[in-house]
Amino acid sequence: MQTWGKKCDAINFFSDAIVGGQLTGDKIAEPEEGYKPYWEYPSNTFPDNVIFVNMTRTWNDCEPKMDRKGKIEKKVCRHIWEKMWRSWVYVQENHLNQAEWFCKVDYDTFFFPENLKHFVHDEMDWDPYNEYHYFGHWISHRKAGREPMIVGAAVCWSWKTLNDIAEVYRNMPMGYNGGERGKCEDRAQATEEATTSLCLKQHLNVDAEPARDRQHREYVIPSKFNNMLTWNRTEQGEWWFWRGKPEYVGQGEDCCAHRPIGLHKYKLESQILQIQQQFFGERHSEDYMRLPAKPKKYVDKVRKAMGVDS
């Protein structure tokens, strides 16, 4: 809430109901007494906008397995799909009238709420209450014939999309304990983007829409922006990022919109604060001054487009 969160009209943080513990990569590094359900903590431990999702599958419920060296280890269970669909249902039931546009933002994404509003209102002139929209950074599915989807960095829906898909989620088949298999259903494991796009297409006939500006530059940047500025389709060839995208989509220094909605892959608090300083802080700040030439050029374009220095 020190950076972009305070600019949102409403913001909530969704978590599994099991809290605490330490991880080493994807390995649970503490015995089970190191974590417990949120309701076992003292009252007022968590802010009011931290929402705990009571899931049928939790991050700590995977069976321990033996690694290559014969050591028994317990890994995190990534049941992200269940967490996501239950979170959207909660928002529809409790916060539907607080906003026109709803976004799922990863914890390692720096989000620009003002640029989201610019995109949907000024650039696209979309109607949130009467139109279906599901948008962000568009990619093709890894399997032929499957629906394109929006990558998880920042996924946004119109009011109508949220309202109607929540009913689909409440009534879809429940309890499958395997992974993604091309069905709109409650299931275990991750790859939530694939099931999101599938449910939207099958039940509402809603397609994933790329968030790009009139110069075909991406509004949601799925990697660190200094890296994205070097991605060149002509020189590097086709890979998952480019697959299925039109040839005219921007690349290199023309990759990224000057009013970005989301910048992804900033996993440390210090990195989020650094982005805040680079894009909104004083020009003589250390974080801004030590930017390399190409990233600084892009930051300057963003600051100008957003009127930061005016």
Side-chain angles (χ1 to χ4, degrees), residues 136-156:
H137 192 100
W138 183 102
I139 62 169
S140 61
H141 197 283
R142 63 182 179 276
K143 294 181 180 179
R146 287 293 303 273
E147 301 78 11
M149 53 193 171
I150 302 300
V151 297
V155 181
C156 299

Side-chain angles (χ1 to χ4, degrees), residues 95-277:
H95 300 283
L96 185 62
N97 294 321
Q98 287 187 295
E100 298 176 336
W101 302 95
F102 299 83
C103 297
K104 186 275 290 184
V105 181
D106 281 359
Y107 83 96
D108 58 346
T109 294
F110 191 100
F111 190 63
F112 295 77
E114 60 271 69
N115 290 344
L116 169 68
K117 294 177 180 180
H118 168 81
F119 174 71
V120 296
H121 292 303
D122 301 333
E123 186 138 356
M124 304 306 296
D125 193 27
W126 284 342
D127 179 349
Y129 298 107
N130 296 297
E131 297 173 3
Y132 287 129
H133 293 289
Y134 157 55
F135 61 97
H137 192 100
W138 183 102
I139 62 169
S140 61
H141 197 283
R142 63 182 179 276
K143 294 181 180 179
R146 287 293 303 273
E147 301 78 11
M149 53 193 171
I150 302 300
V151 297
V155 181
C156 299
W157 292 354
S158 62
W159 185 98
K160 181 175 176 63
T161 304
L162 170 60
N163 188 51
D164 291 1
I165 198 62
E167 186 65 15
V168 172
Y169 290 163
R170 280 190 288 265
N171 292 291
M172 65 185 174
M174 298 289 167
Y176 179 60
N177 287 321
E180 202 275 329
R181 57 176 179 172
K183 294 185 177 183
C184 180
E185 62 182 350
D186 167 60
R187 60 167 176 82
Q189 302 179 22
T191 59
E192 59 90 7
E193 297 94 339
T195 307
T196 295
S197 63
L198 177 69
C199 291
L200 286 166
K201 183 61 177 177
Q202 283 189 347
H203 292 272
L204 303 181
N205 196 30
V206 174
D207 293 307
E209 298 176 272
R212 301 188 189 117
D213 66 13
R214 302 191 192 285
Q215 289 73 43
H216 313 297
R217 300 173 299 207
E218 302 285 0
Y219 270 96
V220 179
I221 302 170
S223 185
K224 292 181 178 178
F225 74 90
N226 56 304
N227 294 334
M228 279 279 293
L229 293 168
T230 68
W231 290 1
N232 188 303
R233 190 177 198 170
T234 305
E235 296 178 359
Q236 298 168 349
E238 296 293 304
W239 46 292
W240 71 262
F241 177 79
W242 298 113
R243 189 182 305 121
K245 292 179 180 175
E247 291 295 328
Y248 55 73
V249 171
Q251 57 181 308
E253 293 189 56
D254 293 322
C255 67
C256 307
H258 295 174
R259 296 199 62 155
I261 291 174
L263 308 177
H264 193 219
K265 292 291 181 74
Y266 298 94
K267 297 185 180 298
L268 302 178
E269 179 183 0
S270 59
Q271 293 175 322
I272 294 291
L273 293 173
Q274 185 179 63
I275 292 293
Q276 173 74 19
Q277 284 299 310

